[in-house]
Amino acid sequence: MNLAKLVDGGRATTRDLIPTARLREFFDSRSIAMVGASDNSGWARFIVASCATAGFRGPLVPVHPRAETAFGLPAVPSLRDLPEPVDVAYLLTPAHVNESVLDDMAAAGIRNAIVLAAGYREAGAEGKALEEAMVAHAAANDIIVLGPNCLGFVNAHTRCAPLALNMPPVTAGPVGVALQSGGLADYVMTFANAHGIGLSTVASMGNEAMITTADVINYLVDDEATKVICLFLEEIGEPAGFALAALRAHEAGKPIIALKVGSSPAGQLAAFVHTGAVAGDDKVIDAAFRQLNVIRVTSLEELLSTAAALGYNRWPQGRRMGVLTPSGGACDIIADIASANGIEIPDFAPATVEGMRALVPAEQEPRNPLDVGSYHYANLNSTSGNLRAVDRALDIITRDPGMDFVLFGGVYAPARRPADTALGAAAEERMDWLAKQIAAAPIPVISIGSTCLDVSGYGSELLTNRNINILPGINEGIRAIGNALRWLENRERVQPIGQPTETSRHVSISGPWSEAQGRDLLASSGVSVVPGDLATSADDAVDIARRVGFPVVLKICSAQINHKSDVGGVALGLNSEAEVRSAYERVRAAGARVPGATVEGVLVTSMRTGGIELLAGVTVDPTFGPVLAVGLGGIWVEVLRDSSLRVLPVDTAEVKRMLTELRGLPLLQGARGTVPADLDALAEAITRIARTAQSLGAALRAMEVNPLWVNGDQVEALDILVVTEPEATSETEKTA
C-alpha cells in the first residue's frame, strides 16, 4: 500500500488506499498514546475514563514535553521517546502543530492517528488548505487518520476506547455504528446500554479527511463481530464509495440502517423544468437508499431499535405475525401499529385455537393477538415448574402454519435480583427455558416490551448472557420490525447506482435546446415523438398539417423560449388550413417579441386528445448524479406531488415498479372506463428517455418530457426540453 500517492491527490484518491485489513489494525489497537495530555486536559481526562470504563488493559501513555505524569500515568516528552511504537496516537494538539506530530509518529513507527482538533475544512478555505496539507503529510509518512474534528472510537469487543467523551458502560454485541456527529456517540451508547443492545465498533467520523464513512462500512462488513451497521449522516461526501460499500454490505447479508439529516428544496433548474420541483435532495436520498436497500429511519431510537430487531433475532420470511401479550390493551395498540406498518395479524389455525383454550379463561375465545391476561403470572398446575401460561402458549403458537413470526411480550428483565433466592433462581431457570425455546422455535420469536423503559444492569445481564433482546416499546418495536421486513423484501431488488453509460454523445450546446433539437435527440434513441415537423413559413405549416392530419398544434421553436404558452407561442386544436395560416403568423409574431430569442421556426404536430399525460424527467443531483422522476404530467406533478424517483441507471423492470408506486396508478390501469395503458410499452419508453439523458454525460443538466402521452399501447413524447452545458465549460472543468 502506497499512501504517499495521496500527496498530490487529497481526498479523491483515498478511496483505493485504505483496505479493510489496515482499518482492522486501526480499530483493533492494543496500545494508545495521548499526545498533548496533561492533568489540565479535559479531553485527555475523558479518554482515560473511557478506557477505564471499557476495561482497556493495554498501555495508555501520556505524551507531553513538560509533564512527568498525567492522571497517575508516567508521561514521555515526545513520541520519539517511546520505548516501542504504540498502535494509535491520539493527537490532542492544536491544528497548526499536528504536522510536526505526524513527523514524530513516522520517526517512532506509529501508523495510526486520531486528530481531535477543529479549525480544518469546516472552518473555510484556509482550514481546508490546512486539512489537505495535513492529509498529504500523513500519507507521505504511511499514516492513516481518523478525523480531524473527531472524538475517537470504541471497539467494545477488544475493549479499546480512545474516545474523548464521558462514555457510559457498553456491552459488546452485533451493532456497528459510524457517526458524522461525535457528540451523538454518548446518546447512542447510553440508549444501547439502557436497552441491552450490544455494540461492536462505534466510530466518530469527524471531517473524514482520510478514513471515510464508506471505509468504516467496508470495515464493518468484514468484521465478524458486526451483524448490523448503523449510520448517522449529515452528508454523503463520497457517493460512489458509499454506494459500493452498501453493495458489499448487501452481498454480505449485513443490513445498513441510516439516520440521514438535512434536506433542501428543489434544484436550481426549477425555473426551466417541473422535474426540479419534484426531485429535491432529500427525496433523492430516499430513492438512492431504496435502490441500495439501506433502511432510512428518522430518530436515534428507531435507528437502534431496528438494529436490535435485525441483530438479535432470526429474520421472518413474511408479514404474518402471531402475538402473545399479557395485556388486552396492548393487543389493541399492537393491532393498530401493525396495520400502519403493513404487518398482518391473521387468525389462528384451528389446532392452535384448541391448544390455547386451556391457557385462557373459559369465557375467552383464543384469537390473534392473544391476551393471556390473568393466567399470565400463575402456574397452571403443580407440574408446570417455573413456566407460565404465556410460555405454554409460545410453544403452541410457533407451530401454527399460518404464522411467519411471533411477537412475544412474555420476556421480563427484573429491575434487581430478587431478595428471595428461590424466586431469583426460578426467574433465571425460566429465562434459560425461554432462550432455548426461542432458539429452537420453528419460526422466529421476537421479544418486545410494552414501553420503552430502561433495562437494569441485572436485567441486561440476564438477557445478554442468553442472547435475548427486548425491543424497546410497542411503537418503536413494531416500526423496527416493519423496517426489517422491508429490508428483507427488497434484497432481490438491489442494483448499482450512479454508473455512467458506456458511451457519451458529443454535446456543443450550452443552455436549453430548442424543442426541434430535443425531438431529434429522442427520436435517434428510439423514443416515439408525436408526428410533426418544423415550419419556417405559413405554407410549410399547412403542408405539415396535411401530412400529419388535422387537428394540429403549433408551437414557437426557440431555445430561449421555454414557457411557450406564457408568451402566446402556442396554438391548439387547429382544424383547417386557414386556421393553421392564421395561427402561424400569431405564433411567429409572439416569438419575435421576446427579447434575445432566436426563433428557428414553428413546430407543427398532431393534436393528441384522450389518453393520460405523464412526466418523465431527468435532473442531476449534486450528490448522486442523474435522477429519473416519473409522475402525472402537466401541472399535476406539482399540484399532487405524485411522483417516483430513481438514481440512474434503471432498467424497464425498475421503471415499471416506479409506475406502480404512483397514486395515479388506477388511471393507468383503466379507472372509470378509460383505456388501460400498456405499462410495458410505457416503461420501455421511459427507460429509453433515461438512457438518452445519461448518454449526454457530464454535459447533462436536465431532460424532461412533459407530457409523455400514453393511450393504450401508443406512447409519444409531446413536449421535450433538454438543458446541457458542454464538458469544456462545466463546473468541474472550471474548477479543475
Side-chain angles (χ1 to χ4, degrees):
M1 180 175 64
N2 182 15
L3 288 174
K5 290 166 61 179
L6 272 172
V7 170
D8 65 351
R11 300 177 73 209
T13 60
T14 311
R15 186 71 274 118
D16 300 326
L17 300 174
I18 307 182
T20 55
R22 181 71 186 268
L23 290 171
R24 190 158 47 246
E25 170 193 314
F26 184 98
F27 288 113
D28 193 25
S29 294
R30 303 303 173 102
S31 55
I32 304 167
M34 300 179 293
V35 184
S38 71
D39 287 332
N40 296 323
S41 170
W43 296 116
R45 186 177 299 277
F46 279 135
I47 295 170
V48 172
S50 293
C51 287
T53 299
F56 181 67
R57 292 185 173 87
L60 181 60
V61 184
V63 178
H64 195 280
R66 294 178 300 278
E68 294 185 0
T69 64
F71 312 107
L73 300 169
V76 297
S78 166
L79 290 172
R80 298 172 188 256
D81 297 307
L82 290 169
E84 58 184 29
V86 293
D87 291 333
V88 65
Y90 199 128
L91 277 59
L92 301 163
T93 43
H96 68 275
V97 303
N98 279 339
E99 288 186 34
S100 65
V101 177
L102 291 170
D103 288 336
D104 291 343
M105 288 180 61
I110 303 168
R111 290 156 43 94
N112 306 309
I114 302 167
V115 178
L116 173 73
Y120 285 99
R121 177 166 54 95
E122 79 285 357
E126 186 176 340
K128 180 181 179 184
L130 186 64
E131 180 172 306
E132 290 174 351
M134 185 268 289
V135 168
H137 211 72
N141 286 302
D142 196 31
I143 295 168
I144 60 173
V145 173
L146 181 65
N149 194 21
C150 166
L151 295 177
F153 72 87
V154 176
N155 185 331
H157 288 276
T158 64
R159 301 186 178 185
C160 180
L163 184 70
L165 271 177
N166 186 19
M167 175 182 154
V170 172
T171 300
V175 180
V177 185
L179 301 162
Q180 288 181 345
S181 171
L184 286 181
D186 183 13
Y187 300 105
V188 166
M189 291 185 289
T190 298
F191 186 89
N193 181 58
H195 297 283
I197 302 170
L199 303 172
S200 57
T201 299
V202 179
S204 161
M205 299 307 304
N207 288 9
E208 303 190 33
M210 289 185 73
I211 299 176
T212 67
T213 296
D215 286 317
V216 175
I217 294 172
N218 279 322
Y219 157 73
L220 293 172
V221 167
D222 290 341
D223 178 38
E224 292 183 1
T226 301
K227 306 302 179 188
V228 184
I229 299 167
C230 289
L231 308 174
F232 175 83
L233 302 172
E234 293 175 335
E235 64 175 356
I236 301 176
E238 201 176 46
F242 178 88
L244 289 173
L247 289 174
R248 288 195 70 234
H250 161 70
E251 291 167 359
K254 294 190 178 185
I256 295 179
I257 311 158
L259 173 54
K260 170 66 176 68
V261 296
S263 60
S264 66
Q268 298 174 350
L269 291 173
F272 284 141
V273 293
H274 294 89
T275 309
V278 173
D281 293 353
D282 203 51
K283 292 182 180 178
V284 174
I285 294 291
D286 276 342
F289 281 6
R290 283 198 305 272
Q291 287 169 263
L292 294 169
N293 205 17
V294 172
I295 303 168
R296 189 173 188 184
V297 298
T298 59
S299 69
L300 291 174
E301 293 87 352
E302 186 182 2
L303 179 79
L304 291 166
S305 298
T306 304
L310 286 161
Y312 281 93
N313 299 287
R314 292 158 54 200
W315 297 342
Q317 298 303 308
R319 290 182 169 268
R320 301 173 301 173
M321 179 173 74
V323 181
L324 290 177
T325 171
S327 165
C331 289
D332 297 333
I333 298 171
I334 289 169
D336 288 344
I337 300 174
S339 176
N341 284 274
I343 299 173
E344 304 170 28
I345 303 181
D347 292 337
F348 289 141
T352 304
V353 173
E354 288 306 310
M356 295 290 190
R357 289 194 187 282
L359 305 179
V360 297
E363 65 274 11
Q364 179 181 342
E365 179 69 14
R367 63 185 57 180
N368 194 20
L370 181 64
D371 166 24
V372 182
S374 60
Y375 279 40
H376 179 76
Y377 294 100
N379 293 335
L380 294 177
N381 54 57
S382 59
T383 63
S384 62
N386 298 314
L387 303 185
R388 300 166 179 170
V390 72
D391 304 333
R392 302 296 187 188
L394 178 63
D395 190 37
I396 297 168
I397 196 174
T398 56
R399 302 180 190 282
D400 190 311
M403 304 300 159
D404 294 312
F405 68 101
V406 174
L407 189 71
F408 185 57
V411 176
Y412 300 96
R416 61 188 63 84
R417 187 184 301 274
D420 185 312
T421 304
L423 286 177
E428 293 188 12
E429 288 175 12
R430 176 175 179 266
M431 196 71 77
D432 288 337
W433 183 88
L434 283 173
K436 293 177 182 177
Q437 194 75 359
I438 290 171
I443 58 176
V445 176
I446 301 175
S447 298
I448 192 167
S450 297
T451 57
C452 192
L453 291 176
D454 291 359
V455 178
S456 69
Y458 171 66
S460 180
E461 180 183 335
L462 279 179
L463 297 172
T464 302
N465 290 344
R466 294 160 177 83
N467 199 35
I468 297 175
N469 177 269
I470 303 177
L471 295 184
I474 294 173
N475 191 53
E476 292 296 342
I478 294 180
R479 184 186 301 176
I481 294 170
N483 289 336
L485 287 168
R486 282 185 288 276
W487 180 81
L488 289 163
E489 291 163 353
N490 288 333
R491 283 183 297 174
E492 300 303 318
R493 297 181 181 178
V494 175
Q495 57 187 244
I497 64 173
Q499 295 181 325
T501 54
E502 294 181 1
T503 58
S504 294
R505 299 171 186 263
H506 174 71
V507 177
S508 60
I509 301 172
S510 180
W513 294 24
S514 73
E515 187 166 359
Q517 292 170 318
R519 284 168 56 88
D520 290 343
L521 174 66
L522 286 184
S524 70
S525 299
V527 178
S528 294
V529 297
V530 62
D533 212 338
L534 186 66
T536 56
S537 68
D539 288 341
D540 284 347
V542 170
D543 288 342
I544 296 168
R546 289 175 185 152
R547 188 166 69 247
V548 302
F550 292 98
V552 295
V553 176
L554 268 60
K555 297 183 287 184
I556 194 69
C557 186
S558 170
Q560 291 76 40
I561 304 174
N562 297 295
H563 301 296
K564 305 174 184 66
S565 59
D566 291 352
V567 300
V570 178
L572 304 173
L574 307 175
N575 287 292
S576 69
E577 293 181 10
E579 289 180 358
V580 169
R581 289 182 183 279
S582 175
Y584 178 87
E585 299 301 337
R586 292 197 313 274
V587 168
R588 187 73 191 234
R593 290 192 294 270
V594 177
T598 300
V599 177
E600 294 182 10
V602 174
L603 274 173
V604 182
T605 67
S606 297
M607 176 81 179
R608 295 305 188 205
T609 58
I612 301 164
E613 294 183 350
L614 290 93
L615 171 143
V618 177
T619 54
V620 181
D621 178 73
T623 299
F624 285 103
V627 176
L628 171 67
V630 176
L632 294 182
I635 65 170
W636 298 114
V637 69
E638 291 180 345
V639 173
L640 298 181
R641 297 288 179 179
D642 184 18
S643 62
S644 180
L645 302 181
R646 293 293 189 277
V647 177
L648 296 182
V650 292
D651 56 21
T652 53
E654 192 63 26
V655 172
K656 193 171 180 180
R657 278 192 285 270
M658 294 176 71
L659 294 170
T660 63
E661 292 171 1
L662 298 176
R663 294 195 303 275
L665 177 63
L667 295 175
L668 296 172
Q669 294 173 324
R672 293 186 175 272
T674 57
V675 177
D678 184 332
L679 295 183
D680 291 323
L682 180 57
E684 176 61 30
I686 295 172
T687 303
R688 292 190 180 197
I689 292 169
R691 288 173 181 165
T692 304
Q694 272 203 294
S695 74
L696 298 175
L700 174 69
R701 293 298 174 266
M703 175 182 289
E704 181 174 285
V705 178
N706 184 22
L708 178 67
W709 180 75
V710 56
N711 190 25
D713 62 357
Q714 189 177 3
V715 184
E716 292 177 347
L718 302 191
D719 283 302
I720 302 157
L721 177 62
V722 180
V723 184
T724 57
E725 183 178 343
E727 293 185 23
T729 58
S730 68
E731 289 302 316
T732 302
E733 295 289 337
K734 288 177 184 176
T735 58

